[in-house]
Amino acid sequence: MTERERYEAVVVGAGPGGAAAAAALARNGVETLVLERGVETGSKNVSGGLLYAEASAPYAIDDLFPEFREAAAERPVTDYYLHNLAGDRVKTFDITDLHEHDTEWSDAVLRRKMDSWLAERVHELTRETGGGLLTGVRVNGLLREDGEIVGVTCDELDPIEADFVVAADGVNSELARDAGLMDWEEPEEWFQGVKAVVDMPEGAVDDRFDLDDGEGEAHLFSGDLFEGVRGGGFLYTNEDTLSIGTVFHLDSLVAEEAEPHELLDALLTHPLLARWLDDGYEELEYAAKLVPDSKKVAHPSPHRGRLALVGDAAGQMQAQGPIIKGMNHAVTAGALAAEAFVEARSRSDPDAAGALYERKLREEGVMEKLRPRRYRAVRTLAEHDPVTDVLDAVLDSPVGRFGVRALGDDLERLYGSPFLSMMVPDTRTPYVTLPTVIAEELGDPVETKNGVTPPDLADRIGSLTYDVDVGNPHIELVDDAVGASGDAVTACPVSARDFGGGCYREETVRTNGEERRVVSLDTQPCVECGTCAVVADTDWEHPRGGKGVEFRQG
């Protein structure tokens, strides 16, 4: 038998979940190897992104890396606003109380900066136990012997054995799929996020948002701005940039045949944003990713054999009402997975780590946050088209509009309720109909003109950095018929109808005198979000280590 390289633990992915797991393992003397497919840690990662530290959580990122906030974050988010939009009419609610519920702190972050800093600390820690961190390595599957998981296989390295494997390889986790724990089959189980990082002149963030040292803002946007698609927009203040983006339910994007880049542009050019942006608008980076809807896909038993899933790989992304949390849950899960292995190893039963990890997620309250019972009860009643149609009709009626006017500013209190936020159903009523009626009945018109001209899609794609894996495409169309794969033309964030420079395009081919509509694919401009894996009939995998897109902001 060939002798293989072996470690006590292998962590796949060096984002916040993987970094937390690796740090906790190494500090407990576990020989740990971390494998990251990006050319540099953070180069494959995108988030909105706000990182929370919850008072109720057993671990936060600064518990594991005490210098984190000063060294790797952008700025604290101290104020949180929700803007209800109807045309140029806006009604704004201050929902900072909801944002601060169970919150020790919350910081805006950019993933390239954050993950690169974490990687340096992780490499130092893991080297002390005989391991380390390697970049440019794609882990492509699980190593098995006699049907049992014993390690991982890689494109660039020989197979590696381990007593414990932590899959922190993101929403498109190939290890989770290999283990049969997650799949990409149902669009309603996923969100798609699209983001622009916007450059700001020196001092402009403080001036335009009226911020003092140690202050920052988050803004959410919902209403009639987004072509009826369920979801909304966000704006977060970084140190010298803004993160502006949209997050939509993937099934709604598909149903409305909406194009993600156009929905982002609708937000960027809305009159309200003229208070913060001007005609000197400069976009540093355009990026996209899939986001799991934990209410539907957070795995209640995220382990198999020696494998444990953490973060997006386990569907651990919480989106309830106007609050979105993901990276903090990845940190907690990574640390709990490590804790479980250390305890199991101390009992000379390392194979018990997975079941112990599952129990810790449940006992520490993580699963209740990810899959709240209140939502499940409401979903049973509310998430049906006839119910939604009735609710929308009532809201849009004179009676419903009178009720909105009568509630007035009490609506702000209701939107800021942690109890109610855990019950919001995934229908167009809370995302589109209600905020539109609120803005129409209670809002004021915005008089300012917005002079922003966003880049076109070709310029956005062209400004990204790629190392194309020529002759080895990571996506293949299984069925090129429009009926099987046509949804990718509009849902892919770097594709669009009548645009020939993206990943997907629709065209007519003639064969033996017959015409048919087909979809063609070019993987060169791919941002590796995974959207097409859900909405098209494809074989999808990550590019080899160091190949594909490289994000410089993230």
Side-chain angles (χ1 to χ4, degrees):
M1 179 183 293
T2 303
E3 186 172 338
R4 301 189 180 105
E5 195 167 0
R6 182 181 182 86
Y7 295 85
E8 285 187 282
V10 169
V11 177
V12 182
L25 288 164
R27 286 198 175 106
N28 282 280
V30 178
E31 182 187 39
T32 304
L33 177 67
V34 184
L35 300 174
E36 163 60 44
R37 69 185 178 91
V39 65
E40 180 181 322
T41 303
S43 64
K44 292 294 184 181
N45 298 336
V46 177
S47 68
L50 299 186
L51 175 56
Y52 284 82
E54 291 185 323
S56 63
Y59 292 97
I61 194 76
D62 57 336
D63 295 327
L64 299 163
F65 304 95
E67 299 173 354
F68 171 84
R69 298 188 69 194
E70 181 179 353
E74 290 294 307
R75 65 166 74 217
V77 171
T78 51
D79 294 285
Y80 206 99
Y81 301 97
L82 174 64
H83 304 283
N84 300 277
L85 309 176
D88 65 353
R89 300 186 70 85
V90 179
K91 178 61 178 177
T92 298
F93 294 146
D94 183 338
I95 56 171
T96 304
D97 286 349
L98 176 62
H99 165 70
E100 292 180 343
H101 173 70
D102 194 31
T103 299
E104 292 284 353
W105 55 262
S106 174
D107 287 353
V109 297
L110 293 170
R111 291 296 298 273
R112 183 66 177 258
K113 172 184 173 181
M114 180 182 86
D115 292 4
S116 294
W117 184 87
L118 288 172
E120 292 178 6
R121 314 283 92 70
V122 166
H123 187 52
E124 293 169 2
L125 288 167
T126 53
R127 282 184 64 185
E128 293 175 2
T129 66
L133 187 152
L134 297 178
T135 60
V137 177
R138 173 186 169 241
V139 174
N140 57 32
L142 295 165
L143 178 67
R144 291 178 172 87
E145 285 185 357
D146 299 324
E148 300 296 321
I149 296 168
V150 296
V152 297
T153 58
C154 313
D155 285 343
E156 296 79 13
L157 303 173
D158 290 334
I160 300 169
E161 293 186 10
D163 296 325
F164 191 50
V165 177
V166 178
D169 50 340
V171 68
N172 307 322
S173 171
E174 285 164 310
L175 297 189
R177 283 182 288 151
D178 190 352
L181 293 172
M182 298 287 279
D183 61 51
W184 288 338
E185 295 182 358
E186 304 298 335
E188 61 267 25
E189 296 177 345
W190 307 93
F191 300 93
Q192 184 200 78
V194 172
K195 185 179 81 166
V197 177
V198 179
D199 195 23
M200 298 290 279
E202 184 177 353
V205 175
D206 289 337
D207 292 343
R208 296 182 192 181
F209 290 85
D210 192 22
L211 301 175
D212 293 326
D213 287 343
E215 294 182 339
E217 292 183 359
H219 297 260
L220 300 185
F221 309 87
S222 60
D224 72 350
L225 183 62
F226 301 115
E227 301 179 17
V229 184
R230 301 193 324 276
F234 63 85
L235 181 155
Y236 304 141
T237 54
N238 302 319
E239 189 61 38
D240 297 306
T241 62
L242 302 177
S243 293
I244 305 178
T246 55
V247 180
F248 295 106
H249 287 269
L250 185 56
D251 63 316
S252 187
L253 270 174
V254 170
E256 302 298 332
E257 298 184 353
E259 297 184 348
H261 70 106
E262 291 186 346
L263 298 178
L264 175 61
D265 289 349
L267 175 60
L268 291 168
T269 57
H270 190 275
L272 179 62
L273 271 73
R275 68 172 68 173
W276 305 305
L277 305 176
D278 57 29
D279 54 9
Y281 177 86
E282 182 182 355
E283 199 168 287
L284 297 179
E285 186 169 82
Y286 174 76
K289 68 168 291 184
L290 278 187
V291 182
D293 185 352
S294 71
K295 302 186 300 296
K296 302 179 177 72
V297 299
H299 205 297
S301 183
H303 62 92
R304 179 153 297 166
R306 299 182 184 182
L307 174 71
L309 312 181
V310 305
D312 278 359
Q316 294 166 341
M317 209 298 301
Q318 176 188 3
Q320 268 114 34
I323 297 297
I324 298 175
K325 298 179 178 179
M327 290 178 284
N328 61 304
H329 295 312
V331 169
T332 296
L336 288 177
E339 185 182 284
F341 176 73
V342 171
E343 290 183 19
R345 184 186 65 161
S346 71
R347 302 169 189 168
S348 302
D349 188 13
D351 289 345
L356 185 55
Y357 167 53
E358 176 184 340
R359 192 177 82 194
K360 289 176 179 290
L361 287 173
R362 187 174 61 253
E363 291 178 348
E364 294 288 354
V366 177
M367 291 309 300
E368 176 58 26
K369 295 174 185 176
L370 297 173
R371 303 191 76 144
R373 283 167 286 186
R374 288 197 291 273
Y375 166 75
R376 295 201 297 272
V378 170
R379 181 188 188 188
T380 302
L381 299 172
E383 291 188 10
H384 303 282
D385 288 342
V387 175
T388 299
D389 292 342
V390 170
L391 289 174
D392 285 357
V394 170
L395 273 172
D396 199 29
S397 71
V399 172
R401 290 176 178 273
F402 173 80
V404 167
R405 292 194 299 273
L407 283 169
D409 288 339
D410 283 341
L411 284 165
E412 182 173 270
R413 178 177 54 82
L414 296 175
Y415 267 92
S417 165
F419 180 85
L420 293 177
S421 73
M422 302 292 277
M423 300 169 62
V424 176
D426 288 336
T427 67
R428 68 175 179 268
T429 304
Y431 289 110
V432 181
T433 310
L434 179 57
T436 300
V437 172
I438 289 172
E440 289 173 344
E441 297 300 323
L442 304 176
D444 296 314
V446 179
E447 305 292 346
T448 313
K449 301 297 182 183
N450 187 327
V452 168
T453 302
D456 62 26
L457 188 55
D459 287 339
R460 281 172 163 154
I461 295 171
S463 68
L464 292 169
T465 301
Y466 298 93
D467 185 355
V468 179
D469 198 359
V470 178
N472 189 28
H474 64 285
I475 311 170
E476 292 185 9
L477 270 174
V478 175
D479 188 339
D480 66 356
V482 166
S485 302
D487 289 335
V489 177
T490 53
C492 170
V494 294
S495 301
R497 284 207 173 92
D498 303 318
F499 175 62
C503 286
Y504 288 91
R505 60 191 64 87
E506 189 176 325
E507 56 195 1
T508 301
V509 298
R510 295 173 176 81
T511 305
N512 298 325
E514 295 184 358
E515 291 186 356
R516 68 185 186 103
R517 297 292 288 171
V518 300
V519 175
S520 59
L521 167 65
D522 177 4
T523 62
Q524 180 166 334
C526 177
V527 290
E528 301 166 34
C529 65
T531 296
C532 62
V534 182
V535 305
D537 190 355
T538 65
D539 282 336
W540 199 103
E541 60 184 23
H542 292 110
R544 292 185 298 127
K547 297 296 184 180
V549 70
E550 177 185 348
F551 295 114
R552 300 191 178 276
Q553 303 290 329

